[in-house]
Amino acid sequence: MGHIFKFHTDVDTDQIIASQYLLFPTVDEMKAHAFESLDPDFATRVKPGDFVVAAENFGCGSSREQAPGVLKALGVQAVIAKSFARIFYRNAINIGLPVIVCKELYDHVSGGDEMDLSLTDGIARAGGQEYVCTKLPPYMQSILDQGGLIASLNREVE
């Protein structure tokens, strides 16, 4: 069970982590500035296991890996949106951050609501309601379970 942080349509990667913070040497140093232009207190309020919920086209803009990286470093359990920019979606899976398409959820929840997510069942539960989400194929779930694409590939080589 985690809390929802709700964002609008077309959240771009510069809003997730602004370009001036890409100069910091590590994602751990960058994470304090996540969503700074949209919610200046996000990085101090988000707790491990919380969720980012958004409308359409989440993660549009540049292809920076640091955008999903700071969310994972902050302990965000998953990003759930009506749709994702393809490069953000791919980068998130590559680093092991679950990204789930759920068309109905956004319109029925508010920031601060509690939510539970079953990745294996593709079900989000909030406010006493269940929302059917896109269920990840087993190979993608395996990549996430192993911590991302590189970790998954390294295990295959061993």
Side-chain angles (χ1 to χ4, degrees):
M1 191 70 73
H3 289 94
I4 292 172
F5 287 82
K6 190 173 177 183
F7 295 95
H8 54 74
T9 296
D10 297 324
V11 172
D12 68 48
T13 54
D14 203 47
Q15 291 170 312
I16 299 168
I17 185 67
S19 60
Q20 68 261 29
Y21 301 118
L22 300 179
L23 299 174
F24 291 167
T26 68
V27 170
D28 275 337
E29 292 174 83
M30 292 176 208
K31 71 183 181 184
H33 303 282
F35 289 117
E36 196 170 75
S37 66
L38 299 177
D39 180 353
D41 299 322
F42 174 81
T44 57
R45 292 185 308 124
V46 69
K47 303 289 182 250
D50 285 344
F51 299 94
V52 168
V53 173
E56 292 91 2
N57 202 27
F58 186 85
C60 58
S62 67
S63 64
R64 62 183 65 142
E65 272 186 14
Q66 296 90 338
V70 295
L71 299 180
K72 184 177 179 183
L74 286 166
V76 169
Q77 187 177 153
V79 179
I80 303 163
K82 289 185 175 190
S83 67
F84 291 91
R86 266 189 286 181
I87 192 70
F88 180 89
Y89 188 90
R90 225 174 136 161
N91 283 338
I93 295 296
N94 285 349
I95 65 153
L97 175 67
V99 280
I100 307 299
V101 174
C102 194
K103 301 283 187 187
E104 308 298 317
L105 181 71
Y106 181 84
D107 296 323
H108 296 95
V109 297
S110 298
D113 288 356
E114 283 193 342
M115 187 175 82
D116 188 33
L117 175 67
S118 171
L119 288 173
T120 55
D121 297 330
I123 301 288
R125 293 174 188 85
Q129 299 293 315
E130 285 192 353
Y131 301 92
V132 177
C133 305
T134 300
K135 191 173 167 182
L136 296 176
Y139 73 92
M140 284 179 73
Q141 185 63 56
S142 176
I143 289 170
L144 289 173
D145 291 344
Q146 295 176 66
L149 183 61
I150 299 302
S152 174
L153 292 172
N154 286 339
R155 287 198 176 112
E156 286 180 15
V157 172
E158 293 174 355

